[in-house]
Amino acid sequence: MDRLEDILARREWLRRSRPFPHVVARGVFKPRFYARLCEELGEVLARGLSETADGERFSRNIANYDSYGIGFRAGDGGALGVFLSPEWRDLMADCFGLQRTDYVFAGAHHHAVGSGDGFVHNDYNPVWFPVSSEGRIQVPDHQRCDYKTGEGQLSPAEKIRVVRGTAVIFFLLNGGWRPGDGGETGLYRSGRDPPGEPSVRVPPLDNSLLAFECSPDSYHAFISNRRATRTSVIMWTHRSLADAEQRFGVERLEYWK
Amino acid sequence: MTKRECLITGASGLLGSAWIARYASKYAITAVHRTREIEFATQDQSFFDPLAPRRPLDANDHAVHAVRADLATEKGCEQVVGETIARTTRLDLLLSAATVRMSAPLTSAPSLAAAEHAFALDVLAPLRLAAALVRASWGADPAANAAANRSVVLVAGTAGRYVYEDQGLGLHSATSAALCQLVYHLASELWHLGIRVNGVLMPTNYCRDDAEKAATRIAGLDAGSATGTLVTLTEGP
């Protein structure tokens, strides 16, 4: 696995406080590593888009969200494997001083041109994982333990409920985004704000990222992309329920509808 | 060294970013933006090294004061001047670089829909800001203004001076032409207050390199003695 100090390019990330704490960074990876990320995800995109759930292709696997998604698997390796590495998990959790746990979700989203606005939400969600072993990074296993409901064959002792901690969106393969193209991630003061009227727009510039602590106030949404496709790697670190309760209170958790 | 105080509009654009990157060490900058974010250290944001968060970074040394405002409204202009004067009573440079960028046939629906906003932002806003600064500060002490060599620089497009045929630049041309005239007349009116007024004409669809050159020319205008001049970065078609 590549060491972060060898692959990170611009070590000046910007920490912002409004409308809620978040981090943006441009020129994240060195050109050679970024090219590897693009090549690997480009190969996945080249398999085509599926309108039904498909673990090998970008597919319509997110309810009420006008996007195609795919999850990364532990052991996939390659450059994309960095998003499931302990080093990257530590880096993103540490950005916000969050508890590190073994539970990580990484994958990618692809929005075809003209995808509709997403809904304004905060990602402060409880989710389920198989219990990790030996301190290894544990990714969701939807067959045995549904990420949202925990349903599946695992016994109560074999699964754990955690809470999304840090959300990361890394943009790539969007070639030459320009103002007016849409496809930004909007950040909002309130969950009642219209998707088209964010407080802050984060453009999907290639080799840039947006990260934030998932909290009751981390309202964000995808903004319709009028002129070009938008592709991104998405990733969440997770925190324990106890940690979430201490920080924000579990009564403010957004349960899946 | 005491920094000169600068109020810049359009601070998140190409020219605004080039100005801040190059001159934040020499000017105390109040940076006005609206739709896009400022990519520099401000009172609300700072850089850090993700691998060494405690390492001091040069990029934080000259933070600007960011103000989010809608300059297309009189209220927005008053807000900006109010916040600026609350921070400093000796504003040295008003750099007006906010503009509506669009390319569409002049009589098309998009142009017509954007026209009022374009004139409000490109033409009315710098006029309102200058007038509000005169009322709030500059009008009180012309000798101090002259001694501090205070000035206004308005940024427009070369389309205000030359005709670019069939490129959908009609609206941009009209606002730029108005700004060119505003430079002359504002220079005349503010002369007795010791405030100089000049303009810089940017190429259409200018690039980062043009923005860098423009920033240098603007600094030259601010440091010089000219008033009522228009600097053109590139000649017309």
Side-chain angles (χ1 to χ4, degrees), chain B residues 8-17 31-34 71 95-99:
Chain B
I8 179 173
T9 69
S12 60
L14 259 185
L15 176 54
S17 297
V32 185
H33 67 119
R34 185 185 179 216
L71 291 173
L95 172 51
S96 173
T99 186

Side-chain angles (χ1 to χ4, degrees), chain A residues 17-33:
Chain A
S17 57
R18 295 182 183 180
F20 55 83
H22 64 280
V23 165
V24 291
R26 293 187 179 180
V28 174
F29 293 109
K30 291 180 178 175
R32 183 177 294 183
F33 188 81

Side-chain angles (χ1 to χ4, degrees), chain B residues 40-130:
Chain B
F40 296 91
T42 74
Q43 74 274 26
D44 294 321
Q45 59 191 40
S46 59
F47 291 97
F48 69 99
D49 179 345
L51 296 180
R54 293 183 180 176
R55 181 169 74 89
L57 296 178
D58 293 345
N60 292 321
D61 285 350
H62 301 289
V64 303
H65 184 83
V67 178
R68 189 188 298 273
D70 181 3
L71 291 173
T73 67
E74 187 170 4
K75 185 179 175 185
C77 293
E78 295 288 345
Q79 171 205 338
V80 165
V81 170
E83 285 196 36
T84 304
I85 295 303
R87 294 184 63 244
T88 177
T89 54
R90 51 168 194 85
L91 187 78
D92 299 308
L93 170 64
L94 167 60
L95 172 51
S96 173
T99 186
V100 172
R101 308 275 301 176
M102 75 171 302
S103 175
L106 195 50
T107 55
S108 68
S111 264
L112 291 171
E116 193 169 350
H117 180 254
F119 272 95
L121 183 66
D122 291 17
V123 184
L124 269 180
L127 179 57
R128 284 169 168 160
L129 289 172

Side-chain angles (χ1 to χ4, degrees), chain A residues 119-169:
Chain A
F119 60 97
V120 178
H121 60 293
N122 62 13
D123 273 9
Y124 186 53
N125 310 120
V127 294
W128 291 88
F129 282 80
V131 171
S132 67
S133 61
E134 299 172 6
R136 291 186 190 148
I137 293 290
Q138 177 66 55
V139 300
D141 182 342
H142 304 287
Q143 296 298 320
R144 299 191 304 148
C145 173
D146 187 276
Y147 182 61
K148 295 181 179 178
T149 65
E151 291 174 358
Q153 66 194 63
L154 293 187
S155 68
E158 294 174 309
K159 59 189 177 185
I160 183 171
R161 193 180 214 179
V162 292
V163 177
R164 284 175 167 173
T166 310
V168 184
I169 306 175

Side-chain angles (χ1 to χ4, degrees), chain A residues 34-142:
Chain A
Y34 175 69
R36 286 174 57 198
L37 292 171
C38 291
E39 183 181 1
E40 291 177 18
L41 201 61
E43 284 176 8
V44 179
L45 266 176
R47 296 173 198 156
L49 307 174
S50 173
E51 296 303 319
T52 57
D54 182 336
E56 302 300 321
R57 294 191 291 166
F58 278 94
S59 61
R60 293 275 188 192
N61 60 0
I62 311 167
N64 303 316
Y65 191 44
D66 194 2
S67 170
Y68 297 85
I70 188 168
F72 298 162
R73 289 172 296 217
D76 277 353
L80 290 171
V82 73
F83 296 106
L84 286 174
S85 69
E87 292 78 11
W88 184 261
R89 180 270 321 267
D90 293 350
L91 181 74
M92 301 317 306
D94 290 355
C95 272
F96 301 94
L98 264 68
Q99 178 190 43
R100 299 170 178 176
T101 71
D102 298 335
Y103 305 100
V104 176
F105 183 116
H109 285 171
H110 177 79
H111 294 264
V113 174
S115 295
D117 288 335
F119 60 97
V120 178
H121 60 293
N122 62 13
D123 273 9
Y124 186 53
N125 310 120
V127 294
W128 291 88
F129 282 80
V131 171
S132 67
S133 61
E134 299 172 6
R136 291 186 190 148
I137 293 290
Q138 177 66 55
V139 300
D141 182 342
H142 304 287

